Amino acid sequence: MLKPFLTAVAAAALFATPVAPALATTPSTHAPGQTSVTNLAHLDSLLDSVPLRAGVAGHTTYRLAAEPTAEAPWVYANHQADGSFQRVGGGAFDPETGYYGQGAFDADDIARAAVVYVRDWQQNHTASSRRHAYELLRELTYLQTSSGPNAGDVVLWQQSDGTLNPTPTPADSPNPSDAGESFWLARTLWALGEAAPAFGSADPSFARFLGQRYALALAALNRGSLTRYGQYDVANGARVPAWIVTQSTAATTEATLGLSAWLKANPRDAATRTALGKEAAGLAAMAVGSPGTWPFGGFLATTTSRSMWNGWGGEAPAALSAAAAVLGRPDYQAVAERAVRNFIPQVLTTGGPDNGWTPTPFDQSQIAYGADSLVESALTVASHSHDPSLRRLAGVAAAWFFGANRTNSPLYDPATGVCVDGVAGNGDVNRNCGAESTIHTELTMLSLDAHPDVRALATAGTSVVSRTGLAVVEAESGTLAGGATLASPASAWTGSANWSGSYVQAAAGASVTIPVSADRGDVVHPVVNLAAEPTGTTAWTATLAPGRVVPLGSTPNGGLGAQGIAATSSALLPLTLPPLPAGTVAVTARVTSGSLQLDALLVQPAVAHLTLPNLTLTAPASGGFTITR
């Protein structure tokens, strides 16, 4: 479950009568030293004791009778005027029952918090982190259904008194939340896959229990999407894997992280090796494009859309690289490395870890989840390619937390462990600091502390000096001729993409001339609403400053193919024209046959750049990147 920027903002206004008291965040026993940036104090403050009710059918956990409570983090933490934080749950609060429409705690955050504490315990030998990991894992496995037809699936929400809420308001999908495959099942696999090996020698009895629950989760995955392994769906003419977890790259990524961690510790586990091979094959199929062709080798967000990348799915290269290492699949490593080398530099030079390119950078709000995903991908791929330049790229991505963002101010305080819930596209900062944001912030900090050279780059990147990346030039800014008209979509969201604004509708003989300011080698990607059936072609030309016109070739107006599982029969997709000549002042689209719906031009610089106080990242349109200091 994702708690995006606007959801957290709304939470501050909705929950006027919270259950939990306000907490001031103070440094923990794991306070940072002069160089360490990991500080779990704020995450510690979100944890609360949860009663675990005995006698609930299908729900039990390790040593329930002897230890009838566990721990879980509150979902949200609203920033107060005095600097403290008010812990709140999800959904509308009922003061009579003390319940939230969703709950106080959720399996998504419990699982990911457990990953944080396991990694801190393993990396820093922090005794308190071992204890928190133990309690969180007992809580997570209580939420996991242990018997019956849904064994292995997970109830998402729980109230502060321990009551499970499998059908919240609004309802989850699936509903009830343990009725099938889900993000929270994938994250449970992630937590158990990392935690069980960690406890192997420290607490063998608990490790065996976690292994049993891992097996339950794996069985649930096997009876879910993996029953469709080898089958393919069609989405707007593209062949897509039918076995992706909940049709989501992000969910598949997190399941893959857990499977890879388990298999690394248990290389003879044939069942995990088989499942991981299937998940990795699905992930690899979601990477599309190449240098100069959108999305430049990145991973699409979902099998239902050919137009969408999201920031929180940005850890797919990390997951595929981890799988490649344990499976012995250099071809998968190559896919992951291609995405990191070609796509992540385009993201960083354009504006940073945006929530969504759909297909233009439409959702420019940014959250720790997306930022952490870029850092983890660059570091993981670097660890398996042994390329130091990828480590430096991770440092550039991590600088977002320390000031290299659109606010030019820190979004994380290592002295307290406090982060922010997000930055809006206009630079407004959401000062709340809920569980998801804290978890992904600390995952980045743990990675930085494990790689001091990367940490040094990140912490020195305290502002953005300059940035030049992908630019959106709206089609409606052009001059219409020959009967071309402007149209406004009823909604920006089509079901699988976003119109960036109005669009130009043009029939045969009509044209639109759009002013651009371009250097030699800049690449224009017309964002066209391509129809399923062939609907003619459009010829493109570049107008140079002296008035000379240079042909740029032609593109189809349709011909995608069958709609399949996509939400609409047409799809907004960036096409690719040849590099522009020097002196281009306008680009003209002239419909030669059929009809055209043109949303915008996505202009990719010949060489994009991001300059921080300590370095410059350059990313040629032809692919790759360099970092100079």
Side-chain angles (χ1 to χ4, degrees), residues 2-15 75-79 86 88-91 102 355 366-367 420-423 429-437:
L2 171 72
K3 276 78 72 176
F5 178 78
L6 291 177
T7 301
V9 171
L14 283 174
F15 310 129
V75 181
Y76 298 113
N78 292 339
H79 185 262
Q86 186 72 59
V88 296
Q102 293 171 302
N355 272 358
Q366 297 175 354
I367 58 177
V420 302
D421 268 351
V423 180
V429 179
N430 180 346
R431 294 291 174 188
N432 300 332
C433 182
E436 181 177 89
S437 297

Side-chain angles (χ1 to χ4, degrees), residues 23-25 40-48 74 85 87 117:
L23 293 176
T25 299
L40 304 186
H42 183 70
L43 184 57
D44 291 349
S45 77
L46 298 182
L47 298 178
D48 207 349
W74 282 79
F85 288 86
R87 304 182 303 185
Y117 285 111

Side-chain angles (χ1 to χ4, degrees), residues 117-512:
Y117 285 111
V118 166
R119 290 186 180 181
D120 184 60
W121 165 40
Q122 296 293 288
Q123 180 173 312
N124 298 310
H125 312 292
T126 314
S128 60
S129 288
R130 173 182 167 175
R131 175 173 53 81
H132 289 314
Y134 172 80
E135 295 295 346
L136 287 161
L137 291 161
R138 292 181 62 249
E139 162 69 3
L140 179 63
T141 49
Y142 181 83
L143 296 180
Q144 184 186 42
T145 301
S146 59
S147 60
N150 298 328
D153 287 316
V154 182
V155 171
L156 177 57
W157 288 100
Q158 188 177 32
Q159 304 293 353
S160 60
D161 67 356
T163 301
L164 300 181
N165 189 16
T167 302
T169 303
D172 291 311
S173 179
N175 182 40
S177 55
D178 64 341
E181 203 168 74
S182 60
F183 261 86
W184 38 103
L185 170 62
R187 288 168 178 157
T188 296
L189 270 166
W190 182 14
L192 295 174
E194 291 207 19
F199 278 96
S201 58
D203 190 340
S205 177
F206 186 50
R208 283 193 296 273
F209 169 78
L210 295 178
Q212 292 164 1
R213 291 309 188 91
Y214 169 86
L216 277 182
L218 179 57
L221 190 68
N222 279 324
R223 69 167 181 267
S225 60
L226 289 185
T227 61
R228 299 187 294 277
Y229 176 69
Q231 300 174 26
Y232 288 85
D233 291 322
V234 171
N236 293 131
R239 187 172 180 256
V240 294
W243 64 94
I244 289 290
V245 179
T246 69
Q247 299 179 315
S248 165
T249 297
T252 305
T253 289
E254 292 175 335
T256 299
L257 289 170
L259 294 169
S260 297
W262 177 273
L263 187 61
K264 183 177 181 180
N266 301 277
R268 295 183 179 180
D269 184 341
T272 294
R273 183 173 295 276
T274 297
L276 178 59
K278 294 174 180 178
E279 297 294 5
L283 270 185
M286 297 302 292
V288 300
S290 59
T293 302
W294 190 93
F296 321 119
F299 287 73
L300 294 178
T302 170
T303 56
T304 63
S305 174
R306 295 181 60 180
S307 310
M308 182 165 59
W309 170 84
N310 57 38
W312 54 90
E315 202 166 350
L320 188 58
S321 180
V326 293
L327 293 172
R329 292 292 301 264
D331 53 333
Y332 290 162
Q333 172 66 14
V335 173
E337 188 168 336
R338 188 160 55 246
V340 169
R341 289 191 183 282
N342 299 314
F343 182 70
I344 289 181
Q346 295 298 328
V347 171
L348 295 176
T349 55
T350 295
D354 291 337
N355 272 358
W357 289 11
T358 59
T360 59
F362 185 85
D363 183 355
Q364 294 181 319
S365 54
Q366 297 175 354
I367 58 177
Y369 194 171
D372 173 54
S373 293
L374 299 183
V375 175
E376 304 297 345
S377 283
L379 275 177
T380 304
V381 172
S383 70
H384 296 134
S385 69
H386 308 293
D387 183 344
S389 71
L390 298 179
R391 293 166 63 86
R392 292 193 289 273
L393 185 66
V396 176
W400 181 86
F401 292 94
F402 300 99
N405 53 66
R406 61 173 57 98
T407 73
N408 280 329
S409 61
L411 301 177
Y412 170 67
D413 181 4
T416 62
V418 169
C419 62
V420 302
D421 268 351
V423 180
N426 64 2
D428 288 347
V429 179
N430 180 346
R431 294 291 174 188
N432 300 332
C433 182
E436 181 177 89
S437 297
T438 308
I439 287 163
H440 282 283
T441 296
E442 295 303 337
L443 286 172
T444 288
M445 300 309 136
L446 285 164
S447 291
L448 294 181
D449 283 342
H451 302 89
D453 58 322
V454 180
R455 180 182 62 203
L457 283 178
T459 55
T462 54
S463 64
V464 174
V465 176
S466 63
R467 190 189 323 248
T468 303
L470 294 170
V472 179
V473 182
E474 297 293 351
E476 56 264 36
S477 69
T479 300
L480 307 181
T485 59
L486 288 181
S488 296
S491 170
W493 177 241
T494 68
S496 59
N498 278 295
W499 294 96
S500 63
S502 299
Y503 61 92
V504 170
Q505 177 79 49
S511 66
V512 55

